[in-house]
């Protein structure tokens, strides 16, 4: 079985690389954005001709939420056009596409976990481009899994956990938003879930939610990060209104994982059990 991973230099791509040795039945090809530019269909096709993947995990994305507000064309190019080209090439090669999406496709106005059937209503450019990427894949591809996830962190790449630890080394006090509610997702757990879908050999295509279990605010998340890492710092909860950003965030974006658990038997750990883990 051949699995191609785009966006290999990102935190999900690196997380898959870290556990790839545990899947001897899979031949992996990891492609960075320099090796596969998903906004260049000819580039994608050339790579597919070389490796002939059975599955393609698209971990390439424009994820700079605030920057997207001032770079909508770039976000659209990667998150929509890139998704379109990958879907077209996957269809041509009869390759199953696993595409990573986000809780930001929702507006956050609910107070109970979002299911795959809930109506998306993004509030910013990032969420809008990710939603349009989902839609174009559904229009083109016949064999696809769209996995919506949230608050991804790991020891790789750039993420909230690493930002908090860096800031704590520079400051004595930190203010963190306490009224945005969601669930952190350990990128290695997401990687394992994707590979469980692949190795199941099932063909239950469609949209799925995946995050770790549990609910917290960004303040709760930061507090646990410092606790696990033995960091002493004055941490203050603040409302979103006290920390304005270019992009509006969903106030509540907890995802319901019932579907992926029932269909693929995915076992999911609680978010605060994973913060001390390190696969390196």
């Amino acid at each position: 079985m051949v699995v191609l991973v785009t966006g290999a230099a990102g935190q999900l791509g690196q997380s898959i690389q870290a556990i790839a040795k545990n899947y001897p039945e899979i031949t992996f090809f990891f492609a960075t954005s320099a090796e596969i530019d998903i906004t260049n269909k000819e580039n994608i096709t050339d790579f597919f001709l070389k490796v002939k993947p059975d599955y393609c995990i698209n971990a390439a994305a424009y994820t700079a939420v605030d920057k997207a507000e001032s770079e909508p064309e770039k976000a659209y190019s990667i998150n929509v056009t890139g998704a379109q080209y990958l879907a077209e090439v996957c269809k041509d090669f009869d390759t199953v596409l696993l595409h990573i999406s986000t809780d930001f496709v929702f507006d956050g106005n609910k107070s109970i976990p979002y299911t795959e059937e809930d109506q998306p209503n993004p509030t910013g450019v990032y969420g809008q481009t990710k939603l349009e990427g989902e839609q174009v894949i559904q229009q083109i591809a016949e064999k696809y899994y769209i996995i919506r996830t949230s608050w991804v962190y790991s020891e790789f790449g750039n993420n909230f956990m690493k930002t908090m630890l860096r800031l704590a080394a520079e400051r004595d006090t930190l203010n963190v938003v306490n009224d945005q509610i969601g669930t952190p997702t350990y990128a290695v757990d997401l990687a394992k879930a994707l590979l469980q879908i692949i190795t199941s050999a099932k063909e239950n295509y469609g949209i799925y939610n995946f995050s770790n279990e549990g609910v917290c605010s960004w303040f709760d998340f930061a507090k646990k990060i410092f606790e696990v890492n033995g960091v002493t710092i004055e941490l203050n909860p603040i409302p979103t209104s006290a920390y304005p950003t270019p992009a509006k965030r969903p106030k509540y974006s907890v995802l319901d994982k019932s579907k992926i658990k029932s269909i693929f038997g995915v076992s999911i750990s609680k978010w605060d059990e994973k913060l001390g883990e390190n696969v390196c």
Side-chain angles (χ1 to χ4, degrees):
M1 185 192 300
V2 176
V3 175
L4 169 63
V5 181
T6 65
Q11 58 173 328
L12 176 58
Q14 290 186 69
S15 295
I16 298 170
Q17 290 182 67
I19 62 171
K21 63 183 182 295
N22 300 328
Y23 299 84
E25 70 274 31
I26 299 176
T27 300
F28 288 94
F29 289 93
F30 294 97
T32 65
S33 57
E35 293 164 307
I36 292 185
D37 173 5
I38 65 169
T39 68
N40 183 325
K41 188 175 178 181
E42 188 177 338
N43 187 200
I44 301 169
T45 303
D46 288 345
F47 210 96
F48 271 59
L49 283 167
K50 281 190 281 188
V51 307
K52 297 180 173 58
D54 299 296
Y55 294 84
C56 174
I57 298 174
N58 181 30
Y62 183 105
T63 58
V65 176
D66 288 323
K67 209 172 177 185
E69 297 298 313
S70 58
E71 291 186 342
E73 296 87 0
K74 187 173 181 182
Y76 187 94
S77 174
I78 297 169
N79 292 344
V80 185
T81 306
Q84 174 190 332
Y85 290 163
L86 269 175
E88 289 172 350
V89 176
C90 281
K91 186 176 181 181
D92 289 344
F93 282 80
D94 196 32
T95 299
V96 179
L97 175 61
L98 288 85
H99 177 77
I100 312 305
S101 193
T102 174
D103 57 326
F104 275 58
V105 300
F106 298 115
D107 56 23
N109 291 333
K110 280 187 73 174
S111 56
I112 59 172
Y114 282 92
T115 72
E116 293 82 354
E117 285 72 41
D118 280 317
Q119 187 65 37
N121 185 33
T123 60
V125 171
Y126 167 67
Q128 182 62 37
T129 59
K130 290 300 289 182
L131 175 59
E132 290 183 37
E134 289 185 6
Q135 292 168 338
V136 78
I137 287 168
Q138 291 174 283
Q139 289 163 10
I140 295 166
E142 295 168 356
K143 300 179 178 181
Y144 67 86
Y145 296 99
I146 292 168
I147 315 294
R148 291 174 178 157
T149 191
S150 63
W151 299 22
V152 180
Y153 75 93
S154 67
E155 54 269 46
F156 308 109
N158 299 312
N159 55 69
F160 181 79
M161 179 182 74
K162 292 175 79 172
T163 298
M164 288 297 102
L165 293 173
R166 174 177 57 79
L167 290 175
E170 300 168 356
R171 306 178 189 178
D172 297 322
T173 305
L174 269 179
N175 299 329
V176 180
V177 169
N178 198 35
D179 58 356
Q180 292 173 24
I181 306 300
T183 310
T185 303
Y186 184 39
V188 175
D189 284 352
L190 174 57
K192 289 176 181 176
L194 295 172
L195 295 175
Q196 188 163 339
I197 289 172
I198 288 171
T199 55
S200 76
K202 291 184 177 180
E203 296 183 352
N204 297 75
Y205 303 123
I207 298 176
Y208 291 83
N209 292 335
F210 181 88
S211 69
N212 283 108
E213 296 282 20
V215 176
C216 69
S217 69
W218 289 110
F219 172 81
D220 299 326
F221 190 14
K223 187 177 178 182
K224 193 68 179 180
I225 288 166
F226 296 140
E227 180 187 311
V228 167
N229 287 278
V231 174
T232 302
I233 188 170
E234 182 183 334
L235 189 64
N236 303 310
I238 60 169
T240 298
S241 58
Y243 187 70
T245 56
K248 183 183 177 185
R249 266 91 171 151
K251 287 184 71 69
Y252 180 94
S253 61
V254 178
L255 300 172
D256 183 304
K257 280 81 64 175
S258 302
K259 184 178 176 184
I260 198 168
K261 288 191 284 189
S262 64
I263 292 179
F264 292 103
V266 173
S267 177
I268 306 178
S269 302
K270 200 160 179 289
W271 71 268
D272 54 0
E273 295 173 1
K274 289 295 178 170
L275 278 171
E277 292 209 356
N278 192 318
V279 297
C280 295

